[in-house]
Amino acid sequence: MSYDFNIESPQTADELLAVIAANQDKNFRFGAGGTDLLLELKRAPQENLTVVNLAQLKDPIFKSITKVAGGYRIGALVTAGEVLDHEEVKSEFYTLWEAAHNLASMQIRQVATVGGNLCTASPSGDIACALVALHARCEIINTKGELRSVSVADFSTGVRKTVIQKNEVLRSVVVPINSNPNLHSGFIKVGTRLSMECSVVSLAYHIQMDDNRTIRHAGIAIGAVAPTIKFTDSACAFLIGKSKLIDTEREEFAGLISDYASPISDVRASAWYREEVLFNISKGLME
Amino acid sequence: MKINFTINGKGRAKEIKASTLLIDLIRDGLKLKGTKPGCFEGECGACTVLVDGHAINSCLYLAVNVAGKSITTIEGLGGEDQFLDIVQEKLIEHGGVQCGFCTSGMAMSIKSYSDKCKEEGKVPNRNEVAKSLEGNLCRCTGYVKIVDAAISVCGN
């Protein structure tokens, strides 16, 4: 079998839903930036495949970042490059900005989308990891036009698996606005080289403090150390009400984060190395 | 299917397959061999071209998505019957070319990034310039002269 497929290029949201409805009994895949999909199809071609090409869709909800009640809505087709050019994303959600900044290369950031990073459901997805830390929610639309909302943390159910049904498509994500004035937010990515790297361990953190620098809200997610990206509930709860951690607390905190990890050994790193790195970057997080 | 697009300033119409990659349209369909096939995985950047002014990997881009858009390849930057672009001038001046395989991709990435910086009125520092080239591999040089060339294009 050689690399080949049919293509549908809907221009509007209505056309997209109609294309999905018309292909319910056929083998189809969504393609947006195409940087993951085309690689996969070149390596493992599929028979009678239709690619639903989202790159020509002009729908503003799919394609833009807008302020909505209680948060920011980021369309599934917003590219990593567009995330980087958005001043409010940078100031409000630095973890997301830094994740996009660390993603692949300039050429790939130009086309790779937020929705693609989520739907490819890699445990080392950078943008996905930041969105989990930010308590973001996915807005999924079906062929009848009905919307449902799923937290990004629950969106992926395993490696390359998501909650998306065959009659659905990811439309957007909503990131809740910050409820406190002071932020400690960022994205730590450890790989075997600095550029173009798939994470060996990643950690997204978004910690909100009140005027007295007391932690009121915390979101910490870890990637590449379990089959899905993990939100570290108990480590986040540990921080609430504190402002600084003393040495022994930092160890305890790092232990709480590490409890969520169940890494494997692969070509990029051993399980032991991943555990050590995760513990050490966690310990350094609140210094 | 038939698509219309602009390549290096000239309007063209071309019959393609749904799955045709942009690099194949450029090299085989349009016979423009300056765009280099390297890894075909988006790692090396040798196939970098501009779509509406932005650098992309043509090996991971569907040709169907250039419909109505403007493509610039190294042949459109300068050379033959036109003056060299400042990017090419600076690569020569700084000795940023050895075997040349990565050069057309490097030049297109530098073009894209330096244009963006000019548009924003920004003069990037060395780290920022180096980061903009992280998607382009060179196995001859140590990158120093290429980054030097890029920095001078960006106005330093």
Side-chain angles (χ1 to χ4, degrees):
Chain A
M1 209 186 320
S2 63
Y3 161 86
D4 198 19
F5 46 79
N6 302 313
I7 204 158
E8 295 273 6
S9 301
Q11 306 288 313
T12 67
D14 285 346
E15 281 179 31
L16 167 62
L17 299 183
V19 165
I20 299 170
N23 281 277
Q24 283 303 295
D25 55 352
K26 298 193 187 115
N27 180 24
F28 74 90
R29 294 284 300 274
F30 292 112
T35 52
D36 275 326
L37 181 72
L38 295 176
L39 253 185
E40 185 194 321
L41 295 181
K42 282 198 267 185
R43 283 177 185 158
Q46 295 177 22
E47 213 156 354
N48 298 321
L49 178 70
T50 297
V51 168
V52 178
N53 174 26
L54 302 174
Q56 295 180 17
L57 197 70
K58 289 172 184 73
D59 184 79
I61 299 181
F62 274 90
K63 292 203 53 102
S64 58
I65 303 177
T66 47
K67 199 160 184 191
V68 293
Y72 283 82
R73 174 180 282 138
I74 303 175
L77 297 178
V78 167
T79 65
E82 287 165 345
V83 168
L84 291 180
D85 285 340
H86 202 276
E87 285 303 323
E88 281 151 302
V89 166
K90 189 174 183 181
S91 59
E92 297 288 311
F93 312 116
Y94 190 73
T95 182
L96 176 61
W97 188 91
E98 201 168 21
H101 191 64
N102 278 307
L103 185 120
S105 64
M106 176 174 72
Q107 293 95 314
I108 288 176
R109 289 191 291 271
Q110 177 63 30
V111 293
T113 62
V114 170
N117 200 265
L118 286 169
C119 290
T120 203
S122 161
S124 48
D126 292 336
I127 287 174
C129 190
L131 289 172
V132 171
L134 288 165
H135 293 270
R137 294 188 69 83
C138 294
E139 295 183 315
I140 299 165
I141 192 166
N142 70 12
T143 47
K144 290 178 190 153
E146 296 161 340
L147 266 186
R148 68 178 174 119
S149 170
V150 176
S151 79
V152 176
D154 296 330
F155 182 74
S156 171
T157 53
V159 178
R160 308 277 168 210
K161 293 193 188 99
T162 72
V163 299
I164 294 263
Q165 302 294 308
K166 200 170 180 183
N167 67 338
E168 293 179 320
V169 62
L170 177 64
R171 187 193 68 173
S172 40
V173 294
V174 173
V175 184
I177 50 166
N178 297 317
S179 46
N180 290 274
N182 298 303
L183 301 175
H184 177 46
S185 182
F187 185 78
I188 300 168
K189 176 168 176 169
V190 178
T192 51
R193 56 188 279 239
L194 272 178
S195 294
M196 293 294 297
E197 179 56 353
C198 186
S199 301
V200 159
V201 173
S202 56
L203 188 152
Y205 60 97
H206 190 72
I207 295 160
Q208 302 182 34
M209 292 156 287
D210 64 16
D211 288 322
N212 304 316
R213 310 288 302 180
T214 302
I215 296 169
R216 295 295 174 200
H217 201 272
I220 299 165
I222 52 176
V225 288
T228 59
I229 293 158
K230 297 286 182 191
F231 186 85
T232 63
D233 256 316
S234 61
C236 295
F238 182 79
L239 293 179
I240 305 298
K242 297 188 172 70
S243 51
K244 275 185 181 157
L245 299 188
I246 57 170
D247 278 354
T248 50
E249 284 176 330
R250 279 205 286 271
E251 299 252 338
E252 192 182 343
F253 170 67
L256 289 172
I257 290 180
S258 297
D259 284 346
Y260 289 88
S262 51
I264 55 162
S265 295
D266 65 12
V267 287
R268 289 194 295 277
S270 67
W272 172 84
Y273 179 75
R274 287 188 155 99
E275 275 169 12
E276 290 288 306
V277 166
L278 179 65
F279 186 85
N280 287 323
I281 59 176
S282 301
K283 205 167 68 174
L285 198 61
M286 298 304 295
E287 270 173 13
Chain B
M1 58 179 69
K2 198 171 192 178
I3 56 164
N4 293 289
F5 53 93
T6 303
I7 176 98
N8 298 331
K10 294 188 188 98
R12 289 291 296 265
K14 202 81 192 167
E15 193 68 36
I16 57 160
K17 279 170 65 177
S19 59
T20 300
L21 296 167
L22 182 55
I23 189 170
D24 296 328
L25 171 67
I26 291 170
R27 285 182 55 86
D28 301 336
L30 302 167
K31 306 290 178 203
L32 294 168
K33 306 284 186 176
T35 299
K36 299 301 177 197
C39 66
F40 285 108
E41 294 186 349
E43 289 280 336
C44 78
C47 69
T48 302
V49 300
L50 308 186
V51 173
D52 287 346
H54 302 289
I56 57 104
N57 295 122
S58 62
C59 73
L60 291 182
Y61 198 98
L62 286 176
V64 65
N65 287 332
V66 297
K69 293 186 175 162
S70 170
I71 313 163
T72 309
T73 66
I74 190 70
E75 291 89 345
L77 209 56
E80 295 201 343
D81 53 353
Q82 43 187 333
F83 289 112
L84 292 181
D85 187 87
I86 182 175
V87 174
Q88 295 159 308
E89 297 270 11
K90 293 294 180 188
L91 278 166
I92 295 166
E93 191 183 313
H94 288 269
V97 180
Q98 284 191 29
C99 89
F101 197 84
C102 75
T103 307
S104 55
M106 285 285 182
M108 301 323 283
S109 287
I110 296 170
K111 181 72 182 165
S112 173
Y113 184 67
S114 61
D115 280 357
K116 185 172 194 282
C117 289
K118 272 170 203 153
E119 213 178 282
E120 293 169 2
K122 171 181 170 169
V123 179
N125 63 35
R126 190 174 187 95
N127 284 343
E128 289 170 321
V129 171
K131 176 147 178 81
S132 76
L133 294 176
E134 69 188 326
N136 293 81
L137 293 180
C138 171
R139 298 290 80 175
C140 302
T141 75
Y143 297 101
V144 174
K145 292 176 177 189
I146 294 170
V147 174
D148 286 346
I151 286 172
S152 69
V153 175
C154 291
N156 268 337

